[in-house]
Amino acid sequence: MASTLFTKMLLGQRLIHPYSFLTHQPQILSSLFSKRLFCIRAVPVSAYTSQNIKTTGWAPCMASSSVGRRATYSTQSVSTNEPVVSVDWLYDNLKEPDIKVLDASWYMPDEQRNPIQEYQVAHIPGALFFDVDGIADRTTKLPHMLPSEEAFAAAVSALGIENKDDLVVYDGKGLFSAARVWWMFRVFGHDRVWVLDGGLPRWRASGYDVESSASSDAILKASAASEAIEKVYKGQTVGPLTFQTKFQPHLVWNIDQVKKNIEDKTHQHIDARSKPRFDGAVQEPRKGIRSGHVPGSKCIPFAQLLDSSQTSCGTGVTACILALGLHRLGKSDVAVYDGSWTEWGAQSDTLVDTS
């Protein structure tokens, strides 16, 4: 059986280089390659800029974004083994007909930032808005869980996305919620998707233009995507589909699989939260959630792979960053536990260990 890593992390931190958290301590992730893995999503809460992250000797295959350099790749030259592209590459390929750019910005509630309003003020020219909270399962109270295949197909079709499209996803923090959307498309069988290194902050810092659109076609499409999701879950007919899904079950686990793994021990569970939360030494930030960790877990705090970060866990975004990083190191079968600690810690019948 192929190795899998369960990783679902909540949003909340500004990560500029998707490869920087790997290169800070690459041996941590490299040491996992001999094991079958799954990880709980973690939520970093501190702000990040490109100046916060150390430079190292590791060289990204397609992610160099030094100002003044220009990529010379065609869209077909981009490998799906390298899930990151630079702002220079995107600038040179932005007008390619089969490239669609998605603004997948999402922010923690306590940040008091509105992603759709920020999109309207400034976004990469031609970018569509992907609503992380909106394109989600409407049958659960857990935040932004994966929608059904039918719902996802309806929503992205409403955005005008087709299976032939090459997708580049970015967010307003640098690298945060974009990794979640990268993972979502891969779960539904679309591998030609990349994350923009540094996101909108690096795009703007590199001197590239942004556009505003208080009432644009993209806003109408975002509304149409939300309406399509609602119709699917209400059993109503939706418009014609331009995107067909092909679900990849090995990339996502549910709570029953995690429970079974405690007994079977076929996969290594990796918890990306902070050590105090993993140990149960501090209370969870969400009410009604127990402290501690899944029995048999190993704690690899996301903060250890970065500089000066604080990490927590909850609803499943930053674990996707870990999945993205492992993908860059050649481990493309990384899976995410979609319910994460928000689900596990709230259940009365799930086992919880503390140190």
Side-chain angles (χ1 to χ4, degrees):
M1 177 183 292
S3 299
T4 56
L5 172 72
F6 260 66
T7 292
K8 190 168 187 184
M9 307 174 172
L10 195 79
L11 317 140
Q13 127 187 49
R14 297 185 181 178
L15 303 174
I16 298 304
H17 304 294
Y19 52 88
S20 294
F21 70 88
L22 290 178
T23 57
H24 184 49
Q25 291 188 6
Q27 67 276 13
I28 293 178
L29 295 181
S30 297
S31 67
L32 301 177
F33 275 43
S34 62
K35 301 177 180 179
R36 295 171 177 173
L37 307 167
F38 76 93
C39 174
I40 284 184
R41 48 190 178 178
V43 173
V45 268
S46 60
Y48 263 75
T49 64
S50 57
Q51 287 74 27
N52 293 133
I53 301 176
K54 291 182 179 179
T55 52
T56 68
W58 284 47
C61 300
M62 286 283 297
S64 175
S65 56
S66 302
V67 175
R69 296 181 63 181
R70 290 293 178 268
T72 58
Y73 320 101
S74 68
T75 55
Q76 295 305 312
S77 71
V78 186
S79 169
T80 55
N81 292 327
E82 171 51 63
V84 179
V85 295
S86 71
V87 294
D88 295 334
W89 183 92
L90 180 58
Y91 177 81
D92 286 343
N93 289 277
L94 191 58
K95 295 183 179 180
E96 292 290 334
D98 289 341
I99 283 189
K100 286 188 171 67
V101 181
L102 305 180
D103 184 325
S105 300
W106 183 93
Y107 304 105
M108 294 288 290
D110 60 1
E111 294 179 271
Q112 298 185 342
R113 296 177 63 176
N114 187 311
I116 187 64
Q117 289 182 359
E118 292 189 14
Y119 167 86
Q120 290 175 302
V121 172
H123 56 264
I124 292 175
L128 301 165
F129 182 75
F130 188 102
D131 186 354
V132 172
D133 278 335
I135 302 180
D137 186 356
R138 302 298 175 87
T139 67
T140 177
K141 293 182 179 180
L142 293 171
H144 42 252
M145 294 282 284
L146 277 175
S148 67
E149 288 189 76
E150 184 183 1
F152 187 82
V156 299
S157 293
L159 289 174
I161 295 172
E162 303 178 36
N163 291 93
K164 67 180 180 64
D165 291 331
D166 291 333
L167 305 177
V168 177
V169 189
Y170 74 90
D171 59 54
K173 287 194 166 188
L175 198 166
F176 188 52
S177 47
R180 168 76 181 177
V181 175
W182 167 83
W183 172 76
M184 290 176 70
F185 273 97
R186 293 187 66 243
V187 167
F188 290 115
H190 191 80
D191 287 336
R192 294 197 65 77
V193 56
W194 294 267
V195 171
L196 183 63
D197 178 26
L200 187 62
R202 172 155 290 185
W203 177 269
R204 302 188 75 165
S206 298
Y208 297 134
D209 291 337
V210 295
E211 65 180 11
S212 61
S213 52
S215 58
S216 70
D217 180 58
I219 299 298
L220 295 177
K221 287 181 177 179
S223 297
S226 181
E227 292 173 4
I229 287 270
E230 287 287 347
K231 286 183 177 180
V232 168
Y233 281 106
K234 290 180 179 179
Q236 300 174 0
T237 302
V238 297
L241 299 181
T242 60
F243 186 93
Q244 302 295 328
T245 61
K246 188 177 180 181
F247 185 63
Q248 305 295 306
H250 67 285
L251 294 179
V252 56
W253 269 21
N254 59 37
I255 192 169
D256 291 331
Q257 289 171 292
V258 181
K259 289 179 179 179
K260 188 174 186 297
N261 186 69
I262 294 176
E263 299 296 328
D264 296 347
K265 299 180 174 60
T266 58
H267 295 70
Q268 177 60 61
H269 178 190
I270 304 300
D271 192 319
R273 295 175 300 157
S274 65
K275 192 64 164 59
R277 293 181 66 185
F278 178 87
D279 291 340
V282 297
Q283 290 185 342
E284 287 294 307
R286 291 174 177 269
K287 293 182 179 179
I289 306 297
R290 292 174 293 164
S291 300
H293 58 268
V294 175
S297 302
K298 292 184 183 298
C299 183
I300 302 182
F302 197 75
Q304 289 186 1
L305 307 178
L306 298 162
D307 295 331
S308 305
S309 77
Q310 296 178 355
T311 303
S312 60
C313 174
T315 67
V317 174
T318 52
C320 294
I321 300 174
L322 185 56
L324 178 74
L326 284 163
H327 189 102
R328 296 201 72 230
L329 291 178
K331 198 164 188 63
S332 60
D333 56 356
V334 172
V336 167
Y337 168 32
D338 202 32
S340 191
W341 193 256
T342 298
E343 179 180 42
W344 188 269
Q347 301 291 317
S348 60
D349 63 340
T350 51
L351 299 176
V352 174
D353 278 355
T354 58
S355 63

